[in-house]
Amino acid sequence: MATTSTPADAVRAGQARAADGAPRTGASSGYLRHAAGKLGGALVSLFAVLVTSFFLFRIIPGDPVKAMTHGVPTSAEQLATLRRQFGLDLPLWQQFTDYCAKALTGDLGTSFQFRAPVGELIWEKLPATLLLTGVAVVVYSALGLWLGTRSAWRHGGLGDKLNTGIALTLWSVPSFWLGLLLIIVFSVGTGPVPGLFPTGGMESGTGETGLAYVLDVAHHLVLPVVTLVAVGYAQTLLVMRSSLLDEMGGDYLTTARAKGLRDDVVRRKHAVPNALLPTVTMIFINLGHVAAGSILVETVFSWPGLGGLFYQALSVPDLPLVQGLFVVFAGAMILMNLLADLLYPLLDPRVGR
C-alpha cells in the first residue's frame, strides 16, 4: 500500500539527516585540528633541527681548512683564501642566516672535502642505506611483532622467558662489537667454521650483471642485516609484549571467548589490533631510522651508505656535509613521527578528540 509523506515527515527526515551528518562533520573537523596541530609541531621541530645542526657541529674541535690541507704546504694567504671561499670568515650570525636561507630552498651547501653539492652526495649514497636498513627494519619489526605476541599470549612459560632473555641480551650488545664478532667468525673463519661471507662492501666489483649481481649484493648483505636485526628486534618484541599483556585482562576478550570463539581468533582479531597502537609508534620510529642507517654498522662492514659518509664527514669535520646529513636523519624521524600521529585517529578514534 502506498504511503504519502506530510510536511512534518519531511521536516523530521531532514532533522534526522542533519543529526546523522553532525557526528561525521564533527569527527572530520576534529581530525583536521589534530592534523594541523601535529603538522605545526613537526615544522617547529624541523626548525629546531636546523638550529641545532648549525651550532652543534661548530663546537667540534678542529679546523676544516687545515684538515683539508693537511700534509700540503699551504701559506697563511692560501688558508685565508680557502676560508673566504667556504664562507668561514663571515660572522657566525651571518653564516647561520645564510645556512637557514639555503636549507629552506633545499640547498644544503657544498662539501669541503668532496667539492660537490651535499644534496648530490646524499642522493648518491641513499640507495645503499635504504637497502640495508630497509631490509633490516622489515625483518626485525615482523620478528618482534610475532615473537612479542607469542610471548605475551603464553606469558610466564618457557618460550616467553627464553624469548625475552635472548632479546634483552642481544639488545644490550653494542652493534659494532657484534658486527666485528660476526666478521671474525663467518667472514675470516675460526676453528671449524670457514669464511662464508665477505668482510665488507656492497659488491665484489667483478662486473656481474642481472641475477648474478643481485645474488652478489645479497651475499654481502647477510652479515650487516643480521647484526641490525639481532640488536633491533628486541625493542619491538618488548613493546608488543607489554601492550598485549595490558589488553589480556580486558572484558571484551572474556566476552569473545564466551561467544565460543577459538583462542587463536580472539588473539588475532580482538587482542592484537587493540595492542598495536604503541607498537605502531615503534615501527614508524624504526622506519625513520631507515634514512639514517646505522653509522657504526656501515663503518664496520664498509657499507657505502649514508652512515659511512657521515663518519667520513665527521672526521674532517666537513661542516656542510655533516649538517646536511644531520638534517636528513632528523627530518626522516620527524616525518615518520608525523605520519604515526596522523595514523593514530584512524586506528583508535579516541585519539585526537
Side-chain angles (χ1 to χ4, degrees):
M1 179 176 181
T3 58
T4 58
S5 60
T6 65
D9 294 331
V11 170
R12 283 194 294 270
Q15 291 174 341
R17 286 193 297 270
D20 290 340
R24 288 193 292 271
T25 303
S28 176
S29 62
Y31 180 79
L32 290 177
R33 287 195 300 270
H34 172 79
K38 295 300 180 181
L39 181 59
L43 293 175
V44 172
S45 298
L46 187 58
F47 178 73
V49 166
L50 290 176
V51 176
T52 304
S53 66
F54 180 82
F55 290 104
L56 176 64
F57 297 108
R58 275 165 174 74
I59 65 177
I60 299 175
D63 187 338
V65 173
K66 288 184 177 179
M68 285 186 293
T69 58
H70 179 70
V72 179
T74 310
S75 64
E77 292 78 9
Q78 291 172 320
L79 292 175
T81 301
L82 287 173
R83 289 192 177 91
R84 185 165 56 254
Q85 289 177 352
F86 293 129
L88 296 174
D89 62 327
L90 298 174
L92 193 61
W93 66 267
Q94 190 172 348
Q95 294 183 43
F96 174 68
T97 54
D98 291 345
Y99 164 70
C100 288
K102 291 180 179 179
L104 292 176
T105 62
D107 182 3
L108 298 176
T110 302
S111 168
F112 291 165
Q113 57 181 326
F114 296 104
R115 306 295 178 91
V118 170
E120 291 183 5
L121 293 172
I122 293 175
W123 188 254
E124 178 185 348
K125 300 291 186 180
L126 184 61
T129 290
L130 293 181
L131 175 63
L132 172 61
T133 54
V135 170
V137 166
V138 169
V139 172
Y140 71 64
S141 294
L143 186 64
L145 284 172
W146 180 60
L147 291 178
T149 300
R150 291 178 63 87
S151 293
W153 205 249
R154 297 178 175 86
H155 64 281
L158 179 61
D160 177 33
K161 294 177 181 178
L162 189 62
N163 283 332
T164 54
I166 293 174
L168 289 172
T169 301
L170 291 174
W171 197 15
S172 63
V173 173
S175 59
F176 72 90
W177 182 85
L178 181 59
L180 290 173
L181 187 63
L182 291 177
I183 289 175
I184 292 172
V185 176
F186 296 105
S187 293
V188 178
T190 179
V193 181
L196 301 174
F197 300 98
T199 56
M202 183 177 170
E203 57 186 61
S204 300
T206 53
E208 293 93 345
T209 58
L211 181 60
Y213 176 75
V214 173
L215 293 176
D216 183 44
V217 173
H219 192 213
H220 286 75
L221 195 64
V222 171
L223 290 186
V225 166
V226 168
T227 302
L228 291 174
V229 169
V231 175
Y233 86 97
Q235 196 171 18
T236 308
L237 182 152
L238 295 173
V239 171
M240 186 62 194
R241 179 181 182 275
S242 176
S243 300
L244 190 53
L245 285 175
D246 289 340
E247 295 293 332
M248 285 177 63
D251 293 337
Y252 68 96
L253 296 183
T254 304
T255 303
R257 290 190 179 96
K259 290 180 178 180
L261 295 178
R262 298 195 313 272
D263 194 61
D264 180 61
V265 175
V266 173
R267 184 185 75 243
R268 286 188 294 105
K269 293 190 175 181
H270 296 275
V272 171
N274 284 284
L276 275 179
L277 199 60
T279 314
V280 166
T281 304
M282 188 61 55
I283 291 174
F284 272 89
I285 290 175
N286 291 339
L287 290 175
H289 284 301
V290 169
S294 176
I295 297 173
L296 295 176
V297 172
E298 287 192 10
T299 303
V300 167
F301 288 96
S302 302
W303 192 262
L306 295 181
L309 185 64
F310 187 81
Y311 177 79
Q312 288 179 322
L314 200 59
S315 61
V316 173
D318 188 341
L319 294 179
L321 186 52
V322 170
Q323 291 168 180
L325 287 167
F326 184 83
V327 169
V328 170
F329 296 165
M333 293 296 301
I334 292 172
L335 176 61
M336 288 300 107
N337 276 310
L338 175 62
L339 292 178
D341 287 334
L342 296 179
L343 183 62
Y344 284 166
L346 304 180
L347 296 175
D348 187 347
R350 294 171 297 179
V351 177
R353 285 183 178 177

